[in-house]
Structure formats: C-alpha cells, structure tokens
C-alpha cells in the first residue's frame, strides 16, 4: 500500500480492533459494574455467577450488552486515532526514531522511538 495512506489504514484497523475488544469484554464490564454498584449493607449479588445469572434473568442475552452503542461510539474513534497518530508520528519522525539493523538490512524502530511515538499518540 501507499505509505501516505498508512495512518488511515491504522486508524480504521484501530477502530475495528477497539470495537471488537469492547464487544468481547463488555459483558464482564457490565457484571463488574453491577457488583461495584451494590451497597455494602445490602448485597444484591453473592458472586460473579450470581450476578450473571440474575442479569440474564432480567433481560436475557441482550442485558449483557445494554449501553454498548454509546461505548462503541467513544471507543472506536479513540483507539483509531491512537493507532493512526502512532503511524503518522512514526512516519514523520522516521529519521529520529529508527536505526539501521545490519542483521535485517532494514530500518527498525528503536525502543525509545516506539515509546516516544506512543506517548505522542496518547
């Protein structure tokens, strides 16, 4: 692919990856939030399995994903921008953040370079 479009590709992949990770972890976050929100004096859930079974009884499988859409609208762009800006900073600062590796006979990013681009990307 054209080097100019690499940040855009990374933005799209970051959005998709962030959304996929959110969809996979959202049921666990829902249960965790319910466990944390219960008051100390009156426990609604005795365990994680109890919370999961009561949540399923309340609204079925969809109850585990209640509130997913607003979360995805925040997570998708956020992870996309992080990946896109990391790629952009890697290109812009290429002469500073890379060195030539004799074994690979190619440029490789240094640890400091990777940390710097990651820090700048957020």
């Amino acid at each position: 692919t054209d080097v100019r479009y690499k940040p855009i590709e990374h933005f799209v992949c970051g959005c998709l990856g962030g959304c996929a990770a959110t969809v996979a972890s959202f049921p666990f976050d829902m249960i965790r939030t319910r466990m944390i929100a219960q008051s100390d004096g009156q426990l609604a859930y005795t365990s994680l399995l109890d919370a999961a079974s009561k949540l399923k009884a309340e609204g079925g499988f969809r109850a585990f994903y209640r509130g997913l859409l607003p979360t995805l609208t925040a997570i998708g762009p956020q992870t996309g921008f992080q990946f896109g800006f990391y790629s952009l900073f890697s290109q812009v600062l290429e002469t500073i953040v890379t060195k030539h590796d004799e074994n690979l006979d190619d440029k490789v990013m240094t640890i400091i370079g990777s940390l710097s681009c990651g820090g700048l990307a957020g």
Side-chain angles (χ1 to χ4, degrees):
T1 62
D2 192 344
V3 174
R4 293 175 296 171
Y5 300 117
K6 205 162 189 120
I8 295 169
E9 288 177 13
H10 285 181
F11 173 81
V12 171
C13 291
C15 284
L16 295 174
C19 288
T22 300
V23 168
S25 66
F26 204 76
F28 302 107
D29 285 337
M30 180 67 79
I31 293 169
R32 178 184 56 87
T33 301
R34 293 251 176 149
M35 294 287 291
I36 290 171
Q38 62 187 345
S39 64
D40 291 333
Q42 195 173 18
L43 297 178
Y45 310 108
T46 57
S47 68
L48 292 174
L49 290 176
D50 181 46
S53 64
K54 286 181 179 175
L55 186 59
K56 186 173 183 250
E58 279 180 29
F61 182 72
R62 294 181 71 176
F64 289 95
Y65 289 96
R66 195 173 295 132
L68 178 65
L69 187 59
T71 303
L72 290 178
T73 58
I75 292 293
Q78 186 239 341
T79 55
F81 280 122
Q82 281 182 327
F83 276 74
F85 278 119
Y86 180 88
S87 177
L88 179 68
F89 290 135
S90 297
Q91 286 178 358
V92 170
L93 303 173
E94 182 178 11
T95 57
I96 299 170
V97 299
T98 60
K99 69 174 185 173
H100 185 77
D101 187 314
E102 293 180 19
N103 294 330
L104 298 174
D105 195 31
D106 200 7
K107 292 180 185 176
V108 294
M109 185 171 292
T110 64
I111 294 173
I112 297 296
S114 182
L115 289 172
S116 299
C117 290
L120 288 170

